[in-house]
Amino acid sequence: MTIVRTQGRTRMAKHPRDRMIESALVLMGEYGVEATSFSQVIEHSGAPRGSIYHHFPGGKEQLIEEATRYGGDVVVKLLAEAIEQHDPVAAVDSVGGFWHTVLYDSDFAAGCPVIAAALDSRSPAARKAARDAFQRWEQLYTEMLQRAGVPEERARSLGSIAISAVEGAVILSRAQRSNAPLERVVNELHGLFHEAIGNAGTQSAGNGRTQ
Amino acid sequence: MTIVRTQGRTRMAKHPRDRMIESALVLMGEYGVEATSFSQVIEHSGAPRGSIYHHFPGGKEQLIEEATRYGGDVVVKLLAEAIEQHDPVAAVDSVGGFWHTVLYDSDFAAGCPVIAAALDSRSPAARKAARDAFQRWEQLYTEMLQRAGVPEERARSLGSIAISAVEGAVILSRAQRSNAPLERVVNELHGLFHEAIGNAGTQSAGNGRTQ
DNA sequence: GTCTATACGAAGATAGAC
DNA sequence: GTCTATCTTCGTATAGAC
């Protein structure tokens, strides 16, 4: 067995099946779904070759789908504390800080596995899992902002730009091997959220453009 | 020869080489770099099999790199008119409107080829071409906003979020098969740009957070 | 410039032994 | 649960004829 790269911050899962899912998650983010092979997952997770189809009878499609749903949950957990505190700005910080660390620690090799799943054209199951994750995140942002007094339509709008901008910034930061784009985006989202929350109740927000 | 799907808005290029680049661009956006094979490019472009390595001695890597640079130029051309008019908001509209149309016309199958290149792990040349495109777009936004009176640092910050958010929104809109995320993001960027330009000279902008 | 034929590797998946 | 062996398909790339 070769040396297994660990995630550092995450403790090793006990069961090979869970290790394979976690490895798939990391590899998807770094190489994309198409380029994530069973061989890589086996090597990265240290799981035995012969057990792939035992644990995942649905083959690669099943593994990728489960990993994507797991990835969606990771971000939901990042948002959990901010949700309890009813603080949308803390939510942006939590996700932004997470990616800041992951990108830096991986020397800008890591990427978002949910994005990878969303962009995979061969697996409808993975795409659906990614879509579900996006919508769940958006819903959580929307609810947080509404509780902070932002009207629903504006809240949903801010949720969309928060997710889009952070995910886009992760790609840009990786491409430029610098967290600068991510930091700038988080900073702008701060201002945007503060302004919207500050204006809560004062006016109906929005700028009248719907295209 | 099978029926060749055309882009509709783009006239057919005369030379097989150019057709191959344009086809590669479309296929990269839809399927990703890894899943874009020569077979697909040949079929899509109608170019002859035997001429691949004649036109692209560097093989797939060369084709993908050239297509990515071409894709970067497409967006630069979209920004050109807005640059002449010194109107950053029009720039967002131009790119946003472009993706709105492309997504709708393709029934949400199309995607950004530059993103695909940025996420490809196997081709350093493609990644570099994507990075160059991002930085060029960001620079154009920054210059436009500076001419509109926005301080440099803030201008760069707004450029980063404009690119990140639109690229992210293209992914989300495709995943949800709806242009709603893209429209919401464009709308929020409108507000953000207007506010920043409106405050030009009044204060140094920013919200004091650098992380 | 374009063709066919082919080399070579790697992928996902299955079968059957242990 | 895990192993090895094998099937099949598909990818890039090259060689050499036309």
Side-chain angles (χ1 to χ4, degrees), chain A residues 48-51:
Chain A
R49 291 204 85 81
S51 63

Side-chain angles (χ1 to χ4, degrees), chain B residues 16 48-51 54-55:
Chain B
R49 292 204 85 82
S51 63
H54 172 73
H55 292 303

Side-chain angles (χ1 to χ4, degrees), chain B residues 32-100:
Chain B
V33 172
E34 183 85 16
T36 295
S37 65
F38 277 137
S39 306
Q40 280 178 295
V41 173
I42 290 305
E43 187 184 3
H44 187 272
S45 65
R49 292 204 85 82
S51 63
I52 297 178
Y53 286 89
H54 172 73
H55 292 303
F56 303 95
K60 183 175 176 176
E61 180 137 3
Q62 184 184 355
L63 172 61
I64 297 298
E65 182 188 353
E66 291 199 36
T68 304
R69 300 208 178 275
Y70 180 73
D73 292 343
V74 169
V75 171
V76 170
K77 287 193 185 87
L78 284 175
L79 298 176
E81 191 178 356
I83 292 169
E84 285 174 21
Q85 296 171 352
H86 304 286
D87 185 353
V89 176
V92 172
D93 276 343
S94 178
V95 179
F98 170 78
W99 282 116
H100 187 103

Side-chain angles (χ1 to χ4, degrees), chain A residues 103-126:
Chain A
L103 285 168
Y104 184 83
D105 287 352
S106 70
D107 197 27
F108 300 97
C112 177
V114 179
I115 288 283
L119 295 181
D120 183 59
S121 55
R122 290 229 230 272
S123 167

Side-chain angles (χ1 to χ4, degrees), chain A residues 179-198:
Chain A
N179 272 319
L182 180 61
E183 285 174 9
R184 289 195 283 257
V185 159
V186 167
N187 202 26
E188 286 294 337
L189 290 173
H190 264 236
L192 206 48
F193 275 32
H194 272 134
E195 187 261 354
I197 293 170

